[in-house]
Amino acid sequence: MSYTYVGKSCKRVDGYEKVTGKAVFGADFTVSKQLHAVSLYSPKPHIRIASIDTSEALRLQGVAAVATADDVPGNNEMYGRFPVFAESEAKYTGDAIAAVAAETREIAQKAAALIRVEYEELPGIWSLDQAIGEQELLVHADATDNEMELTKFPLRKGDFENGFASAPNHFSGTYEVGFQDQAYIEPESITVLPAPFHHGYEVYGTIQNPYTIRANVATALGIPESQVRVVLTAVGGSFGGKDESVMNMAARCAVLSSMTGRPVRMDLTREESFLESCKRHPFRMEYEVGLDDDNIITALKSRLTCQGGAYNNKARFSNWRAVVHTAGAYNIPNIRADLFGKYTNTIYGGAYRGFSGPQVLFAIETLIDEIASERQLNPKDFRLLNVLREGNSIACGQVLKDGYIAAPLEMMINETSERAGFDTKWQNYPKTNESSGSLKKGIGIAVTYRGAGLGGEGVDSSSAMLTVCHDGSILLFSGHTEMGQGMRTAHSQIAAEALGVNIERIDFRHSDTSITLDGGPTVASRGTQSGGRAVLDAARKLTAALLEAAEKKTGIPADELMIKDDQLVGKDGKVICGFKELIDYCVYPLGTNLSAQGWYNPPLAHIDADTQQGDCYQTYTNGVAITEVTVDEATGKITVDRMTVAYELGTAINPDLAYGQFVGGLVQGIGYALYEEMAERDGELLTRNFDDYMIPTTVDVPPIDLKIYETTNPEGPYGAKGIGEIGIELAAPSIGNALYHATGRRLRSLPLNLERVKIGRSLKR
């Protein structure tokens, strides 16, 4: 079908404000009489707090207040066990013991240094190894064996024991990945102020999920959620990271604002951001696979263990996604998978683009390559023997159905391999490497499918509001958050298409919890898929009201009218009047309601808690990546030479934005694969800034040949699926597989840095 705006690469609606510097980010937001806040963090990873003396800090000129746990008027514990302030015990070095509000940040920093804390250093759980083996030393007294609550998920499909026992060929592997920082360009910034026109408080800043901020600030202050208003500033990237840390900051600022009656702003330095913000969850993933003599996988067993850190409100959801995707994009009849989350006295794991997908995919795609190598098979051909096809059931038992859940991976693998010249290079590189000195070339492949939206993780409802002003301009509010991903543009295109108006009429406003209903978190690639459906719902309701008014104006039945290209037209295409004239008539004499609330609430996913069997997601996206590398065996350096990639996404609302999402994900995946590593020692986070946390730069980005496949998706707006996360999943396993092809060195942990590649084996973190 041909559309006016959907499927077109319209320019970004927020482009002008960003390129001109007019966009207001968190640290740009200033109000009269604001104070500046600084947190005092725990001096050691695990301490018992004997006393806190704030008297000297309070005497410093310019200090307005010092807050500790005793000053929290509501509940000091928020969702996920996070404390506003550590009370009797600090469980990791990012715990805030106190916070100072002063006239300047410099004064606040000096005052924080004057706070005297008497403490006893305690032993702790510093690693996943220790968390798994330790039974007596507990991070939380009520968490037996350091198991995180609500993170234990068994998955059972078929009969693994018989499927594995009857298989003549057995394979196994253990894979480990560590923390990864989101590395957004803008550190966190939050301002909380007493509401100027009503009871309560207003929160402004770099916020990913405004409704969770509202709930937790209300919890900390002991007031109703209706008295907390959260408004976004422009956000300079998040990738999942600006959630828990911003929640904690907002709660501290709210306490200080309640103590002083003044606005309080807290800006994190990069070092503080590294210390306090969540990271990608570390995983240990143990696999066993049974294979018949025709190289068909008959059974798979996995045991996945996630390191949650000192607190966690995300492992419950990321762990469930991990176990559901544990078998990768393969048709396996018998599966037994178990997943556990463990507490440690370390920085905590949280949301990061991919949300457990990159961890699991690195393991399963590396294992698939290992099996192909053992069986002396072309790794592409081995995948084609076992990849999911129409009519197959995935790990949770959900069946892939043509026209509802696309299953194009076989075609995508074949076509992407042909574009990359995979077969020829896979055969020829080992021969040419024999005479190439220390420089070796390799090619690797990885395949993925990913559940779109929240699915069984939670309620996937979304909200939006559209209001036509008297001059014909249109306000669009979404319950979801623009963090740089282009959602404002995609939503504006959906609204303009559904209303039949020029996109220039649409004015997308930042999320405001006092205007829109709780649309849930902007996570799980749901901004376009779920949020876009809410926009479409609002636009259709508004269109119906306008056409009902047009019927009264023209005498023509509403079902014989439409709005197209800013004009009211009949079914014969004849123009009746302009959009502005129609709005004038709606305003007077009719008094038509020119506002509509959109709501999208897909059916709940019914999942068996004992087996995780059920229709876990409404739909799935698919991807294939082939990566070519050059490895310098003398230094261990891997250079990514080229990536040939394919992604399936339903309908591309904005092809340029989709391309940018996929490429951005691939680049982050290159960082995960090759460079990014968080150094720790006995619970102490040693990596605190970009001077020793390496991320890819433009010189590390290879040529990327990317093809987008469009398929049918009846659930998404105009057939669109969420795509924000799948892009990151394929880089690490395809690079690791290319490394093996080039050198014969198989690494089972990330990153694939110089030391690991040079030594030729994985190192312990």
Side-chain angles (χ1 to χ4, degrees):
M1 182 178 288
S2 176
Y3 296 112
T4 303
Y5 293 107
V6 168
K8 307 296 192 298
S9 293
C10 302
K11 66 180 181 181
R12 290 184 64 128
V13 300
D14 56 350
Y16 174 78
E17 62 195 55
K18 289 184 175 178
V19 300
T20 59
K22 295 181 182 295
V24 176
F25 291 85
D28 299 324
F29 183 79
T30 58
V31 291
S32 176
K33 298 182 180 180
Q34 76 179 11
L35 297 165
H36 295 264
V38 168
S39 298
L40 174 68
Y41 296 103
S42 176
K44 296 292 181 180
H46 193 199
I47 63 171
R48 180 175 292 113
I49 301 170
S51 65
I52 306 172
D53 183 356
T54 63
S55 58
E56 192 174 352
L58 284 166
R59 286 195 294 269
L60 186 66
Q61 186 173 0
V63 172
V66 180
T68 66
D70 292 338
D71 298 300
V72 177
N75 193 333
N76 190 51
E77 183 177 302
M78 296 175 288
Y79 181 64
R81 297 185 185 251
F82 287 93
V84 181
F85 296 103
E87 195 163 357
S88 59
E89 187 179 334
K91 296 184 182 298
Y92 87 113
T93 50
D95 265 335
I97 294 175
V100 178
E103 300 297 335
T104 67
R105 178 177 170 83
E106 290 72 24
I107 295 173
Q109 287 176 312
K110 291 178 182 178
L114 295 174
I115 299 172
R116 300 291 174 246
V117 180
E118 290 188 12
Y119 64 90
E120 174 191 357
E121 193 169 351
L122 299 173
I125 303 294
W126 313 130
S127 68
L128 195 52
D129 275 340
Q130 196 177 353
I132 293 170
E134 181 64 59
Q135 295 182 342
E136 295 183 5
L137 183 60
L138 302 177
V139 177
H140 296 275
D142 60 343
T144 305
D145 294 334
N146 289 302
E147 281 196 13
M148 301 180 65
E149 61 276 9
L150 304 175
T151 63
K152 186 175 181 179
F153 295 105
L155 184 145
R156 305 289 185 266
K157 178 189 177 186
D159 185 346
F160 168 78
E161 282 74 15
N162 287 334
F164 188 75
S166 62
N169 308 290
H170 295 167
F171 303 89
S172 64
T174 298
Y175 308 87
E176 294 192 19
V177 291
F179 289 116
Q180 184 190 17
D181 188 80
Q182 292 85 355
Y184 28 76
I185 194 170
E186 175 207 30
E188 297 86 340
S189 177
I190 282 291
T191 300
V192 179
L193 60 145
F197 305 117
H198 56 85
H199 294 300
Y201 294 84
E202 295 185 353
V203 184
Y204 298 82
T206 56
I207 296 163
Q208 176 165 345
N209 298 319
Y211 299 97
T212 58
I213 300 296
R214 181 179 68 177
N216 284 284
V217 167
T219 295
L221 293 181
I223 60 176
E225 287 187 24
S226 60
Q227 293 183 16
V228 180
R229 179 191 181 200
V230 181
V231 183
L232 270 67
T233 60
V235 180
S238 177
F239 312 110
K242 289 174 178 170
D243 196 352
E244 292 99 334
S245 59
V246 175
M247 172 187 79
N248 299 337
M249 293 166 60
R252 290 176 215 144
C253 287
V255 171
L256 289 166
S257 184
S258 72
M259 294 170 68
T260 62
R262 293 173 62 179
V264 177
R265 189 175 103 186
M266 181 180 289
D267 304 319
L268 296 192
T269 64
R270 184 62 67 180
E271 288 80 5
E272 290 169 336
S273 177
F274 264 77
L275 182 67
E276 188 168 356
S277 66
C278 73
K279 309 291 181 265
R280 186 183 301 287
H281 290 98
F283 267 77
R284 173 175 298 162
M285 298 159 285
E286 303 166 81
Y287 277 85
E288 296 179 39
V289 169
L291 196 75
D292 69 17
D293 286 333
D294 293 323
N295 298 310
I296 302 298
I297 301 173
T298 61
L300 178 144
K301 178 181 179 181
S302 66
R303 182 182 177 89
L304 313 178
T305 310
C306 163
Q307 180 177 343
Y311 313 103
N312 216 282
N313 62 18
K314 293 294 187 296
R316 169 184 178 182
F317 309 108
S318 66
N319 280 15
W320 183 81
R321 180 177 283 270
V323 80
V324 167
H325 290 79
T326 189
Y330 300 101
N331 180 35
I332 304 175
N334 305 296
I335 302 173
R336 178 187 179 95
D338 292 283
L339 198 150
F340 308 88
K342 294 285 188 177
Y343 281 115
T344 54
N345 292 110
T346 64
I347 186 69
Y348 57 94
Y352 186 173
R353 187 181 207 163
F355 207 49
S356 77
Q359 297 97 308
V360 171
L361 199 73
F362 173 69
I364 187 65
E365 283 299 295
T366 303
L367 176 60
I368 290 294
D369 237 57
E370 290 188 53
I371 296 171
S373 177
E374 287 290 324
R375 300 291 291 174
Q376 298 183 337
L377 295 171
N378 179 318
K380 177 209 72 178
D381 295 338
F382 181 55
R383 285 172 170 83
L384 285 172
L385 284 172
N386 292 281
V387 75
L388 290 166
R389 292 172 172 82
E390 181 187 337
N392 292 160
S393 63
I394 58 178
C396 64
Q398 190 170 4
V399 178
L400 305 180
K401 304 172 185 175
D402 183 41
Y404 186 69
I405 302 177
L409 278 171
E410 180 180 9
M411 174 182 64
M412 292 170 66
I413 292 170
N414 281 321
E415 293 184 359
T416 307
S417 297
E418 185 174 347
R419 283 163 46 218
F422 181 86
D423 289 340
T424 299
K425 293 171 182 176
W426 185 77
Q427 292 174 353
N428 290 344
Y429 279 165
K431 301 173 186 175
T432 58
N433 284 341
E434 293 176 2
S435 57
S436 63
S438 66
L439 299 179
K440 310 294 184 183
K441 286 191 172 292
I443 189 167
I445 184 171
V447 178
T448 188
Y449 85 113
R450 179 180 180 83
L454 288 175
E457 295 171 39
V459 177
D460 210 356
S461 55
S462 300
S463 67
M465 178 174 282
L466 282 165
T467 299
V468 182
C469 301
H470 290 188
D471 64 354
S473 59
I474 302 170
L475 289 171
L476 168 57
F477 289 89
S478 172
H480 288 276
T481 301
E482 171 68 62
M483 298 166 283
Q485 76 272 40
M487 189 195 75
R488 291 174 67 183
T489 303
H491 281 196
S492 296
Q493 289 178 247
I494 291 167
E497 190 70 55
L499 288 168
V501 301
N502 192 309
I503 196 172
E504 299 296 331
R505 290 187 182 273
I506 310 293
D507 186 352
F508 189 114
R509 296 300 180 91
H510 285 295
S511 300
D512 184 333
T513 59
S514 67
I515 295 177
T516 53
L517 301 176
D518 185 346
T522 307
V523 297
S525 304
R526 62 190 299 265
T528 296
Q529 179 169 301
S530 299
R533 274 293 298 268
V535 172
L536 185 59
D537 180 59
R540 286 173 173 169
K541 290 176 180 176
L542 190 54
T543 300
L546 293 174
L547 293 181
E548 182 180 340
E551 179 177 337
K552 295 176 181 178
K553 175 179 173 64
T554 64
I556 302 172
D559 60 4
E560 296 181 12
L561 296 170
M562 64 183 300
I563 301 169
K564 183 179 181 181
D565 298 331
D566 258 357
Q567 296 172 318
L568 178 68
V569 300
K571 65 179 182 180
D572 58 359
K574 183 178 179 180
V575 175
I576 298 171
C577 69
F579 184 75
K580 177 61 168 61
E581 184 180 341
L582 176 60
I583 298 304
D584 288 342
Y585 181 74
C586 289
V587 173
Y588 182 83
L590 290 188
T592 303
N593 176 11
L594 295 177
S595 182
Q597 180 81 52
W599 187 252
Y600 174 60
N601 189 32
L604 285 174
H606 296 288
I607 312 298
D608 186 293
D610 296 323
T611 64
Q612 313 312 314
Q613 296 298 289
D615 289 352
C616 291
Y617 296 92
Q618 289 182 292
T619 191
Y620 297 78
T621 50
N622 297 274
V624 177
I626 293 173
T627 300
E628 298 168 55
V629 304
T630 299
V631 184
D632 187 342
E633 291 190 307
T635 64
K637 178 177 173 56
I638 298 175
T639 301
V640 181
D641 298 323
R642 183 178 180 83
M643 302 185 85
T644 307
V645 191
Y647 291 106
E648 174 269 326
L649 47 49
T651 298
I653 299 292
N654 186 310
D656 279 357
L657 288 178
Y659 183 88
Q661 284 291 300
F662 289 137
V663 170
L666 287 166
V667 173
Q668 282 187 312
I670 290 172
Y672 190 45
L674 299 181
Y675 310 118
E676 301 180 38
E677 187 165 29
M678 310 295 297
E680 308 164 76
R681 183 183 301 119
D682 294 337
E684 188 82 31
L685 184 66
L686 304 179
T687 304
R688 300 285 184 93
N689 209 321
F690 293 138
D691 56 352
D692 59 357
Y693 187 76
M694 301 293 103
I695 61 175
T697 67
T698 54
V699 300
D700 302 304
V701 180
I704 297 175
D705 175 6
L706 192 153
K707 181 176 179 179
I708 291 174
Y709 286 77
E710 294 192 308
T711 59
T712 301
N713 173 31
E715 292 298 321
Y718 296 102
K721 300 181 185 181
I723 61 169
E725 295 178 286
I726 190 173
I728 196 173
E729 295 183 346
L730 292 167
S734 63
I735 291 171
N737 292 338
L739 166 67
Y740 175 78
H741 185 240
T743 65
R745 298 174 182 176
R746 178 69 70 185
L747 301 187
R748 292 176 169 177
S749 61
L750 296 176
L752 309 172
N753 57 21
L754 302 179
E755 293 81 5
R756 287 188 174 99
V757 174
K758 177 69 174 172
I759 294 172
R761 61 180 174 84
S762 299
L763 301 175
K764 280 290 192 183
R765 287 191 293 115

